[in-house]
Amino acid sequence: MSAEPVPLQPAPNTNLGTSSLSSEASSLPLWDRLSSWASENKAVVYTIASVAVIVSGAGVVYYLSDSKKGSQNVAAEEKRRLSKKERRKAKQEKEREKGQPEARAAPEQPKEQSQTKVPTVESDPLEGVPDIDESTVETLSEQERKEYATKLKIAGNKAYGDKSYNDAIDLYGKAILCKPDPIFYSNRAACFNALGSWEKVVEDTTAAIALDNEYVKALNRRANAHEHLENYSEALLDYTASCIIDGFKNEQSGQSVERLLKKVAEAKGKAILEGKEKKLPSPTFVTNYLQSFRPRPPPQGLEETAELEEESGKGRLRAGLVAMDKKTGEGYEAASAAFDKALELGDLGDHEAFAYNMRGTFRYLRGENTDALEDLTRSVELQPTLTQSYIKRASMHLELGNREAAASDFEQAMEQQKDDPDIYYHRAQLHFILSEFADAAKDYQKSIDLDRDFIFSHIQLGVTQYKMGSIASSMATFRRCIKNFDKVPDVYNYYGELLLDQQKYQEAVEKFDTAVDMEKQTKPLGMNVLPLINKALALFQWKQDFQEAEKLCQKALIIDPECDIAVATMAQLLLQQGKVTEALKYFERAAELSRTEGEIVNALSYAEATRTQLEVQEKYPQLAGRLQGMGGNMGGAMR
């Protein structure tokens, strides 16, 4: 688990199978922050090329937010505009349609014939209609074609109602010969839909959309067919266009977009994960993970003053510890290689369990969970009193979705050393991730009672109090932290985050500046870049200062090029400025840097939503004016 406090905002994905406790300081806080924009804003406008595109939520992340909530807001506004009579009529209409799937929805009436009286049961809708084919239709006048088309459509509707889908297909086909109307194509597509002929559905709905490119029902029907054909990107594009055309009022379409966005991201995410090189994450990530455990002196016999052969197992083990202390990317890579070599050389004596612990730690950080679990299991078998191995294994079990195994590891650790404060700190992290804040607060406090000098227990307690709604207690905790740990930059950084959440921008920026200055002084080569990123967000939210916010993110990336938080924050900043193509590159880069499948899917979800918006803008340029108007009415700011 990370030393950085668990983020203030609720995670968009609480599936324990895809969440990484150790990534609290890296990937998940990013997605929490981005999702907080979605949950806290009713609407945000961002620009694609010269087109302002409105997305309820936060920019493109509308599709990752609570679509039900967003659609309810729109529905409420519409309801206020309707008269009592209109609301009653709409309610009755909704009741009639309730439970009817799109595939079985009644075929539509042509727009110009909507007032035409439907023939009685006794009448024959085809009375007077000659046999229509490609040759005979040429002999008909325009007026005859219109009349026959209407009669054929009525007969097609009747056949559809009788579930005589093949007859209906034939009748709609003849109606189309008389008059290529988008509704006729869509109705025939409904028949193919009922028969499961998905390619034919795509063919007919495409024809309908060619005649009316804002035909929402045809777009939804084609999207459904594409989904059945597993053309998920095409389905996502159609549902997205439908949502935009419909002003995000159709809850079902919005939910379809979310579902498909996840499918597309998951499919691409698996491919990325399979081909992904196993390597250590950014130095910021590794540092935050390692410092979540209380610093301890090297095991006896591995001190720098101990006389050891450099190329012996113990010598390599000590070399790994020395390299770790550099807190740089090169140092961590050297440490990982040294721990591997130490176990390869062997002859570690009493330090064998510790060596397995360290190699397992770095395997875990590289995403090699199976090998890491084997190493940590071997470690506790050799030395059950090494509680840190139980704690790290618990983190992995939780990341893999095995909560019971994680809880068991904490219990076993307590049986060995019930007064180890690290046990309570990391068990509190587990409770926090599961939103069990009261239990988390108790464990953080127990960790503090056992060791008051570990700053992160205090910080995390303050964050937990904040999440529980005890704002005054949280602020008091952080003020005490600043008094007692006035030389620790992390205190100022996370206190700044709480102030930023309360929109106390000036105070937040001051705290971030203090944290940055301290990082420069104390860790010039291994600086934690999170205060820089937080300051960038603060300046954006406070002053809409894109230029300075970008500079700060770029600076963070110079210091730590692998920092996924900096990469994805930059993507959001670019997105808000309408630099969508650039933003897309950063979102894709964030996916490459992500460590677990869940993190990759989150990053790709943003990338795919951005890409889809670009495609919609390119395919439906006529929506520009309407969307610009919607943007002006709804407004909003990225938070």
Side-chain angles (χ1 to χ4, degrees), residues 165-214:
Y165 299 121
N166 287 317
D167 290 341
I169 288 168
D170 181 60
L171 290 163
Y172 289 135
K174 291 179 179 180
I176 290 168
L177 285 175
C178 292
K179 179 188 175 187
D181 187 290
I183 290 178
F184 299 164
Y185 279 109
S186 183
N187 285 359
R188 189 168 70 176
C191 298
F192 287 126
N193 195 101
L195 295 171
S197 300
W198 306 117
E199 292 87 353
K200 289 290 187 181
V201 175
V202 170
E203 185 179 321
D204 271 359
T205 50
T206 298
I209 294 163
L211 294 168
D212 180 359
N213 59 15
E214 293 189 22

Side-chain angles (χ1 to χ4, degrees), residues 452-485:
R452 305 194 69 84
D453 295 332
F454 187 61
I455 179 58
F456 295 107
S457 294
H458 297 271
I459 290 174
Q460 193 62 61
L461 177 61
V463 173
T464 303
Q465 291 167 333
Y466 192 89
K467 286 290 290 183
M468 293 172 72
S470 303
I471 309 301
S473 297
S474 175
M475 294 295 101
T477 296
F478 271 94
R479 284 193 292 271
R480 285 195 300 272
C481 284
I482 288 177
K483 180 180 179 181
N484 297 325
F485 302 93

Side-chain angles (χ1 to χ4, degrees), residues 48-186:
I48 294 182
S50 60
V51 183
V53 178
I54 175 70
V55 182
S56 295
V60 76
V61 295
Y62 160 78
Y63 300 122
L64 307 181
S65 66
D66 187 344
S67 62
K68 184 175 182 181
K69 179 179 177 182
S71 62
Q72 287 173 340
N73 289 337
V74 175
E77 181 63 29
E78 286 296 308
K79 189 175 180 181
R80 283 194 290 272
R81 296 198 196 110
L82 297 175
S83 67
K84 184 176 181 180
K85 182 178 179 180
E86 289 171 323
R87 290 200 299 271
R88 188 187 311 116
K89 183 178 179 181
K91 183 177 180 181
Q92 290 171 346
E93 191 70 19
K94 186 175 181 181
E95 286 298 320
R96 282 197 299 272
E97 295 178 355
K98 188 174 182 181
Q100 281 193 319
E102 173 66 16
R104 298 299 306 279
E108 301 168 79
Q109 303 289 336
K111 294 175 183 177
E112 63 185 61
Q113 296 292 335
S114 58
Q115 301 301 319
T116 302
K117 183 177 179 180
V118 179
T120 62
V121 175
E122 290 79 11
S123 65
D124 181 3
L126 295 179
E127 184 177 353
V129 178
D131 187 29
I132 301 294
D133 58 31
E134 292 182 0
S135 58
T136 58
V137 76
E138 296 295 330
T139 66
L140 302 175
S141 68
E142 184 176 346
Q143 183 60 35
E144 285 176 324
R145 291 184 187 187
K146 287 183 179 180
E147 291 177 1
Y148 294 162
T150 299
K151 290 184 177 182
L152 287 161
K153 190 272 308 175
I154 291 171
N157 287 359
K158 183 177 184 302
Y160 181 92
D162 294 337
K163 298 184 180 181
S164 299
Y165 299 121
N166 287 317
D167 290 341
I169 288 168
D170 181 60
L171 290 163
Y172 289 135
K174 291 179 179 180
I176 290 168
L177 285 175
C178 292
K179 179 188 175 187
D181 187 290
I183 290 178
F184 299 164
Y185 279 109
S186 183

Side-chain angles (χ1 to χ4, degrees), residues 353-388:
F354 180 71
Y356 275 109
N357 175 295
M358 297 312 301
R359 187 175 73 173
T361 299
F362 278 84
R363 282 181 165 180
Y364 172 53
L365 289 167
R366 284 198 299 267
E368 299 170 353
N369 282 352
T370 301
D371 292 338
L373 281 172
E374 290 178 0
D375 277 352
L376 292 171
T377 298
R378 181 60 178 153
S379 177
V380 296
E381 288 172 351
L382 290 168
Q383 188 179 336
T385 57
L386 190 54
T387 54
Q388 195 182 93

